[in-house]
């Protein structure tokens, strides 16, 4: 299959004070053997007080802020922001 015909995939990571695992997840996604221009990473932060947002910025991901401590709202925000042909929640 030609690279230009591959589907774009969106990964979204919902997080609250979970900088370490957010970093591991982002690094894991970036290590995959898939064209980088076909991958989108979205971090939905729930008003973390640790380094979660800074970690997401370091990897140049799209960052959304929920702040309501409502997992379903974060999930919805991720799906609405995603531009990929396929979406994966981590």
């Amino acid at each position: 299959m030609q690279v230009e015909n591959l589907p774009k995939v969106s990964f979204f990571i919902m997080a609250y004070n979970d900088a370490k695992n957010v970093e591991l997840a982002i690094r894991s996604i970036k290590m995959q053997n898939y064209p980088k221009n076909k991958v989108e990473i979205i971090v939905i932060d729930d008003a973390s007080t640790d380094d979660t947002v800074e970690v997401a910025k370091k990897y140049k991901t799209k960052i959304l802020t929920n702040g309501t401590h409502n997992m379903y709202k974060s999930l919805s925000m991720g799906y609405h922001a995603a531009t990929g042909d396929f979406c994966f929640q981590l």
Side-chain angles (χ1 to χ4, degrees), residues 8-89:
K8 182 176 181 182
V9 293
S10 297
F11 294 92
F12 55 93
I13 306 164
M14 299 184 303
Y16 175 68
N17 290 340
D18 204 12
K20 179 181 175 184
N21 288 320
V22 167
E23 183 160 26
L24 290 173
I26 293 170
R27 288 176 61 201
S28 177
I29 293 166
K30 289 189 172 277
M31 288 175 35
Q32 298 304 307
N33 184 17
Y34 201 76
K36 304 301 180 210
N37 66 327
K38 297 284 186 171
V39 176
E40 172 182 46
I41 303 173
I42 304 167
V43 174
I44 304 103
D45 179 62
D46 203 0
S48 296
T49 58
D50 68 351
D51 293 334
T52 299
V53 173
E54 288 75 20
V55 167
K57 286 179 182 176
K58 178 171 99 174
Y59 290 97
K60 297 179 175 49
T61 66
K62 185 183 292 186
I63 303 167
L64 306 175
T65 302
N66 177 353
T68 66
H69 301 292
N70 182 329
M71 178 182 74
Y72 300 107
K73 181 175 180 185
S74 291
L75 188 66
S76 177
M77 289 172 70
Y79 278 117
H80 282 94
T83 61
D85 300 303
F86 296 97
C87 298
F88 300 94
Q89 173 198 348

